[in-house]
Amino acid sequence: MSKDTSVLLDEKRVFKANYRIVEEAHVKNWEAEIEKGQDLEKYWSEKAEQFEWFEKWDKVLDESKKPFYKWFTNGKINLSYNAVDRWVFTDKRNKVAILYANENGEERKLTYYELYREVNKMANALKNLGIKKGDTVSMYLPMCPELLISMLACTRIGALHSVVYSGLSVGAFVERMNDSNAKVLITADGTYRRGKIIDLKKIADEALLQCSTIEAVVVVQHAGNPITISELSGREIFYDTLIDGESDECPVEEMDAEDPLFLLYTSGSTGKPKGVLHTTAGYMVGVATTLKNVFDIHDGDLWWCTGDIGWITGHSYAIYGPLLLGTTTMIYEGAPDYPDPGAWWKIVEKYGVTKLYTAPTAIRHLMRYGSKHPNLYNLSSLKILGSVGEPMNPEAWMWLYKNVGKEKTPIMDTWWQTETGMHMIAPLPISPLKPGTPTLPLPGIDADVVDENGDPVAPGKGGYLVIKKPWPAMFRTLYKDEKRYIDVYWNKIPGGVYHAGDIARKDEDGYIWIQGRSDDVLNIAGHRVGTSEVESAFVSHPAVVECAVIGKSDPIKGQVIKSFIILKEGYQLNTKLIENLQKHVRYELGPVAVLGEIQQVDKLPKTRSGKIMRRILRAQEEGEDLGDTSTLED
Ligand code: PRX
């Protein structure tokens, strides 16, 4: 393993659950639940009983073709039916399913019954566009109800959705759209960002020039951006026109438990982004169970996951998890500090949010403005807070705990990934908490910290985070790339365990402290950004011959990108070129790629086989020992 520069935080504070939390909790006895989770098949089959199945499964877990695990084999079920229709036949029929609000103070509410009709109409419309079971629909949309409706419409008819985060730009978008073989693209006239409208249709138009598979483009008129569609091309249509006149009854597709559900792309350290493929029943069981237990969801809750639906957090916990539990999910389009740093707290007060799930980067960002803003609002509706995406610094944890939770609401720091689909290492509301750690593996999850040989490391020592037994919401493969699936995740550590790509330590209580990625993947504001994607974006600029990027710590973003570039002859790195490069990379990748310093170099450290040794650049940058340089070429 590469030189371990991480320091185990000397964090000794422990926060115990209060009486009220324990009284309400679905899981009141942690040890007993862990004990139940030992019998994987029994545990997860009990959890699967919460859904309506068209046909029950034969076998809970099929391990005959490791690492291609199957869950609930031969079961027949539909996610959209369980997330929407199921509630329409109960007293939740007129309960608000989706509560949308935005930075302009506008709101939209959809009850379960209204959602049902919208999803059915869109499902029929997609069928009319030629979408069948197994086809892929790409979406490049803001956080708006039409995104949720479209996703649910896809899963209703068995089509896969591939949502591309609306903060990604042309290059990243093209790569994802082409790899997924999407037939239809759903996009919008724009999204609101800090008082401005970002023209998504314009970005989509540019991306479409490089895509050959798209047969129809559906445009949601969301932001009042006066765009025109090229009706002449015959493939563009406004969303409202498309669904106009469609019947609000569309038969549900009976999906096999293992039928593909959706694709979601995530960055890897090398090559193109990875198309993470999730399948139907296991994903449903995993997300619903974890949301219910980790955030203790009850009927009266107003759940707000601030994560964008373009990422797995939004898929699992802004839409599918909450709707599968019949809860109200709040969807917010806007930044945490716009129009002022109290924007989020105002929303909590206005709507009475009970559970708030967010990211460390947002908390660090809001912390800068001090405690004044949360103190201006009545936040007493909040019962549980949560965090995901990167290590939660103890300072940020304490700030949130004191100023937002008023020392009453526990903070669920949840560790998981696009690939895991669901929370894996996380507390339950009854757990004793320590600021900075997601605590222990959840019931039914076998996670550990091991060395290169797969042997557990002693407490306090760094090692690789692995998952030793399969879990229901696990991804099933990388789309069109089984070899990469096996190589990246299953062949790295002996013993057939899942290699998460993170470095971690356990403390003497077994609590797991995540230290960061072990590969060349950057974590910028909780978003995975592949070094290779950024480097390719640089190299596609006419002035750049070669490039290497590393992550540099940043107090707000977690990491920013430090770039080392070799320029073509005749080019000089001056302010103008730097600006130009920044613009270029942003055009290719979008604002997710937060560029820090760009440095011109003559040479990059490489292995004899020509691989860039980013580790050396990192060590040099941090003024540390270069470590083992025996494979260095020069
Ligand atoms: O490095 C870990 C970090 O985010 C990575 C997964 O990124 P992604 O697939 O984009 O999913 C993010 C949302 C689920 C992990 O490999 N990470 C995620 N949650 C935590 C975390 N690091 C520390 N603490 C967490 N709670």
Side-chain angles (χ1 to χ4, degrees):
M1 154 183 178
S2 61
K3 191 171 153 280
D4 184 9
T5 52
S6 48
V7 186
L8 180 61
L9 283 160
D10 188 26
E11 179 55 71
K12 297 273 188 261
R13 286 172 288 198
V14 179
F15 295 82
K16 295 232 164 83
N18 65 37
Y19 173 76
R20 192 198 67 193
I21 290 286
V22 179
E23 268 292 280
E24 283 185 3
H26 287 301
V27 178
K28 291 194 171 49
N29 185 331
W30 188 84
E31 282 82 9
E33 191 74 8
I34 289 288
E35 185 62 34
K36 281 196 219 159
Q38 299 292 328
D39 185 344
L40 285 191
E41 298 206 26
K42 184 155 181 280
Y43 185 74
W44 292 114
S45 68
E46 275 173 22
K47 306 294 180 198
E49 295 286 352
Q50 66 184 295
F51 298 124
E52 271 184 43
W53 293 75
F54 301 119
E55 260 173 62
K56 281 282 170 68
W57 55 94
D58 301 333
K59 192 159 172 35
V60 182
L61 173 62
D62 175 356
E63 300 190 85
S64 59
K65 289 203 187 86
K66 290 178 186 174
F68 298 96
Y69 296 94
K70 288 185 180 156
W71 284 86
F72 308 106
T73 53
N74 296 324
K76 302 280 180 275
I77 195 164
N78 183 288
L79 189 160
S80 190
Y81 177 87
N82 274 279
V84 185
D85 302 37
R86 189 159 54 112
W87 308 121
V88 171
F89 307 118
T90 68
D91 56 6
K92 290 192 205 270
R93 182 185 180 89
N94 297 317
K95 175 176 175 170
V96 175
I98 299 171
L99 172 50
Y100 161 86
N102 66 25
E103 62 178 34
N104 306 327
E106 296 155 349
E107 66 174 42
R108 268 171 78 188
K109 290 180 183 169
L110 275 127
T111 63
Y112 273 95
Y113 185 47
E114 287 164 336
L115 179 62
Y116 168 83
R117 285 183 306 198
E118 294 303 316
V119 169
N120 276 273
K121 280 193 214 165
M122 186 57 179
N124 279 323
L126 286 173
K127 278 185 165 176
N128 286 340
L129 288 178
I131 293 297
K132 302 179 301 297
K133 181 177 174 186
D135 287 343
T136 304
V137 176
S138 183
M139 298 176 196
Y140 187 64
L141 285 166
M143 291 285 273
C144 64
E146 286 76 12
L147 171 56
L148 286 78
I149 292 165
S150 301
M151 290 167 79
L152 289 159
C154 282
T155 49
R156 184 174 191 89
I157 60 173
L160 284 78
H161 50 71
S162 171
V163 180
V164 178
Y165 173 52
S166 61
L168 291 179
S169 203
V170 180
F173 183 13
V174 168
E175 211 161 18
R176 285 157 174 78
M177 197 156 42
N178 278 339
D179 192 73
S180 70
N181 295 329
K183 276 185 154 177
V184 168
L185 169 68
I186 308 174
T187 185
D189 59 356
T191 180
Y192 302 110
R193 215 168 280 160
R194 292 178 190 282
K196 286 199 206 119
I197 293 173
I198 312 285
D199 190 340
L200 296 180
K201 175 69 169 38
K202 187 162 164 259
I203 301 173
D205 281 343
E206 287 178 44
L208 282 165
L209 293 175
Q210 299 171 59
C211 294
S212 54
T213 59
I214 297 291
E215 294 165 10
V217 180
V218 182
V219 185
V220 180
Q221 286 163 294
H222 169 73
N225 191 17
I227 57 156
T228 47
I229 56 166
S230 51
E231 275 158 355
L232 282 181
S233 75
R235 69 169 184 181
E236 294 193 358
I237 183 162
F238 283 127
Y239 182 97
D240 285 344
T241 317
L242 178 76
I243 61 165
D244 187 35
E246 284 297 349
S247 153
D248 55 16
E249 294 288 341
C250 171
V252 177
E253 189 73 38
E254 290 195 11
M255 303 292 283
D256 186 88
E258 279 298 337
D259 272 336
L261 183 66
F262 66 79
L263 277 174
L264 186 59
Y265 285 83
T266 187
S267 298
S269 53
T270 53
K272 56 180 192 197
K274 302 186 263 192
V276 170
L277 179 77
H278 281 285
T279 62
T280 306
Y283 177 80
M284 293 169 62
V285 174
V287 298
T289 305
T290 47
L291 180 61
K292 180 172 174 188
N293 291 342
V294 175
F295 285 94
D296 206 35
I297 298 297
H298 293 271
D299 204 27
D301 272 320
L302 175 54
W303 165 255
W304 182 16
C305 164
T306 67
D308 195 283
I309 291 181
W311 307 105
I312 192 69
T313 305
H315 279 58
S316 297
Y317 298 111
I319 157 164
Y320 289 134
L323 297 182
L324 284 169
L325 295 177
T327 200
T328 305
T329 185
M330 167 111 219
I331 301 296
Y332 183 74
E333 185 185 7
D337 60 348
Y338 184 87
D340 65 70
W344 276 11
W345 316 129
K346 189 173 176 182
I347 291 284
V348 170
E349 178 185 272
K350 178 169 177 194
Y351 296 103
V353 173
T354 57
K355 314 273 160 86
L356 174 69
Y357 188 33
T358 186
T361 182
I363 301 307
R364 289 194 299 262
H365 189 77
L366 292 172
M367 254 170 87
R368 285 193 311 182
Y369 301 106
S371 55
K372 177 176 145 222
H373 297 281
N375 286 337
L376 283 176
Y377 298 94
N378 178 353
L379 306 180
S380 61
S381 59
L382 287 170
K383 290 184 175 174
I384 297 180
L385 302 169
S387 152
V388 58
E390 52 180 320
M392 180 78 160
N393 333 59
E395 305 80 55
W397 198 101
M398 288 308 301
W399 187 86
L400 186 68
Y401 185 69
K402 281 194 179 137
N403 297 296
V404 179
K406 314 294 179 198
E407 302 189 24
K408 288 201 195 85
T409 55
I411 300 176
M412 305 293 108
D413 179 351
T414 59
W415 179 91
W416 58 295
Q417 306 177 297
T418 308
E419 293 87 340
T420 70
M422 64 188 236
H423 302 148
M424 301 295 282
I425 303 171
L428 297 177
I430 54 168
S431 305
L433 306 170
K434 299 184 196 180
T437 160
T439 74
L440 296 160
L442 283 169
I445 301 300
D446 190 356
D448 207 350
V449 181
V450 301
D451 63 18
E452 292 83 343
N453 306 318
D455 296 320
V457 297
K461 278 204 69 176
Y464 298 105
L465 181 62
V466 296
I467 316 290
K468 293 182 158 169
K469 294 207 185 105
W471 63 100
M474 65 197 299
F475 68 139
R476 300 303 197 261
T477 191
L478 291 180
Y479 189 55
K480 299 191 293 196
D481 207 346
E482 289 192 349
K483 185 175 175 310
R484 196 172 176 200
Y485 170 71
I486 295 172
D487 290 348
V488 173
Y489 302 101
W490 301 97
N491 270 356
K492 288 255 157 84
I493 309 271
V497 296
Y498 170 79
H499 171 70
D502 279 8
I503 300 284
R505 293 168 190 267
K506 289 208 288 191
D507 67 16
E508 57 285 359
D509 297 323
Y511 278 36
I512 295 175
W513 297 75
I514 311 290
Q515 313 284 309
R517 300 284 307 177
S518 64
D519 52 17
D520 280 323
V521 174
L522 314 176
N523 190 332
I524 296 180
H527 299 149
R528 260 155 80 174
V529 178
T531 43
S532 66
E533 276 178 285
V534 186
E535 288 163 4
S536 306
F538 266 106
V539 174
S540 68
H541 187 282
V544 182
V545 183
E546 217 177 343
C547 168
V549 303
I550 59 166
K552 230 182 142 174
S553 334
D554 179 88
I556 310 269
K557 302 276 179 192
Q559 285 187 315
V560 291
I561 300 164
K562 161 96 201 239
S563 330
F564 300 86
I565 54 170
I566 303 179
L567 289 178
K568 272 195 197 136
E569 254 181 50
Y571 283 96
Q572 204 48 47
L573 193 68
N574 50 29
T575 327
K576 197 159 164 244
L577 183 56
I578 290 179
E579 259 173 34
N580 204 289
L581 286 168
Q582 277 167 338
K583 233 172 111 189
H584 176 78
V585 173
R586 218 181 149 85
Y587 171 80
E588 286 287 322
L589 297 177
V592 175
V594 184
L595 291 186
E597 195 196 342
I598 301 175
Q599 186 180 330
Q600 184 180 356
V601 292
D602 298 331
K603 251 185 170 183
L604 289 169
K606 287 189 183 165
T607 61
R608 289 192 193 101
S609 59
K611 272 185 148 181
I612 297 173
M613 292 181 84
R614 295 182 191 82
R615 173 173 70 76
I616 302 272
L617 292 170
R618 263 194 305 267
Q620 227 166 19
E621 199 58 27
E622 311 281 346
E624 285 161 4
D625 178 33
L626 296 188
D628 178 13
T629 53
S630 55
T631 55
L632 191 63
E633 177 198 42
D634 188 356

